[in-house]
Amino acid sequence: MDAAEERRFREFVSARSPALMRLAFLLTGGDQHAAEDLLQSALARTVTRWRTVDTPEAYVRQVMYRQQVSWWRRHRETAVPEPPDRAAADGSDGVELRIVMRRALARLTARQRAVLVLRYYEDLPEAEVARILGCSVGTVRSTTHRSLARLRQFAPELREPYMIFGEAK
């Protein structure tokens, strides 16, 4: 990699890291350290192919989705404790909902989280989600349906998860 390409990569990382970190945080179920590792490994993979990557952010995002699903396949996740009961309304409902959402997401599999993040946080159509994850549209639909049902089971207060994802942007 020549100096100009290295500078371009550094500028990309500097400009897009906050957004990519938010995505990694969602994909890892709210685990800050795992999110940092996921982003770092995705960027390390990207830098090796930097010259051939046409759309760097899309490439990094796809690497992150696939790495997280692959990690889950190797290390089946265990459930975390139940989310806390709702506290009395004191103006912190938005914060509380984000905490509940984070905990509920952490209880989903990596594939389920990836599908929900792509569909509702990234607002991608089912066909694009299927292409990114390397599966069929039917798999995306069924995974979305099961994932939303599990979210509602873990946290009934999350009646409309897409609204929470929308606020996270």
Side-chain angles (χ1 to χ4, degrees), residues 32-88:
Q32 180 73 27
H33 297 293
E36 291 168 356
D37 290 345
L38 178 62
L39 179 56
Q40 183 176 6
S41 64
L43 290 172
R45 182 169 291 184
T46 302
V47 76
T48 63
R49 297 176 182 242
W50 184 250
R51 290 180 188 214
T52 62
V53 173
D54 293 328
T55 53
E57 185 161 353
Y59 184 84
V60 172
R61 287 173 180 266
Q62 185 166 354
V63 168
M64 286 177 17
Y65 300 135
R66 290 189 173 172
Q67 282 184 329
Q68 188 61 20
V69 170
S70 293
W71 180 91
W72 174 78
R73 286 181 181 144
R74 290 187 311 271
H75 308 92
R76 299 291 174 167
E77 295 179 2
T78 57
V80 295
E82 291 292 322
D85 292 336
R86 287 185 57 94

Side-chain angles (χ1 to χ4, degrees), residues 1-12 50-51:
M1 178 182 291
D2 63 18
E5 290 292 319
E6 183 177 340
R7 182 178 34 73
R8 207 174 118 237
F9 179 74
R10 288 179 185 273
E11 288 171 355
F12 166 76
W50 184 250
R51 290 180 188 214

